[in-house]
Amino acid sequence: QVQLMESGGGLVQAGGSLRLSCAASRSISSIGAVGWYRQAPGKQRELVAHMPTGGSIDYSDYVKGRFTISRDNAKNTVYLQMNSLKPEDTAVYYCNAVYVLNVYWGQGTQVTGSS
């Protein structure tokens, strides 16, 4: 089993930056794919960025060029660097991991972009 804990959300003006962190309860080098998703009020949860164990990283067209996903195996942490934030990036952001064919989610962290 894997517990995931997101942090780093907050209120930021348009054009600003935030870095979200997702701390895992076990070594992320043993975890498969990791990713970030988001859910805005009244909308379905959507993919933001997906990092498989091999292969290329996928980004949503809405964030490509502005957001970057990375992982630090030594710290068992996955990051989402968000630059040039827009009001439409406002959502709860969730970390996601696949381990032994099961999918795990964190509790989410709120990001609010103000105009």
Side-chain angles (χ1 to χ4, degrees):
Q1 201 170 19
V2 180
Q3 281 80 47
L4 302 171
M5 179 70 72
E6 301 96 335
S7 61
L11 174 67
V12 62
Q13 287 190 329
S17 298
L18 278 177
R19 188 178 77 160
L20 304 183
S21 299
C22 172
S25 62
R26 65 183 307 121
S27 170
I28 62 170
S29 60
S30 68
I31 293 175
V34 294
W36 287 94
Y37 289 71
R38 68 185 183 186
Q39 188 167 16
K43 294 187 177 181
Q44 290 188 330
R45 193 171 296 189
E46 63 179 14
L47 172 72
V48 174
H50 174 77
M51 175 184 280
T53 51
S56 59
I57 296 172
D58 292 322
Y59 291 97
S60 160
D61 287 343
Y62 298 110
V63 308
K64 199 173 293 183
R66 299 187 297 123
F67 292 8
T68 304
I69 186 173
S70 62
R71 60 198 292 172
D72 186 334
N73 289 348
K75 295 183 178 179
N76 295 332
T77 301
V78 180
Y79 301 100
L80 184 69
Q81 178 66 42
M82 305 187 295
N83 299 327
S84 302
L85 278 160
K86 304 175 181 180
E88 50 264 44
D89 293 320
T90 296
V92 178
Y93 284 71
Y94 297 91
C95 179
N96 156 284
V98 178
Y99 178 69
V100 193
L101 301 180
N102 293 312
V103 179
Y104 297 91
W105 295 91
Q107 86 291 345
T109 185
Q110 176 72 47
V111 172
T112 303
S114 65
S115 56

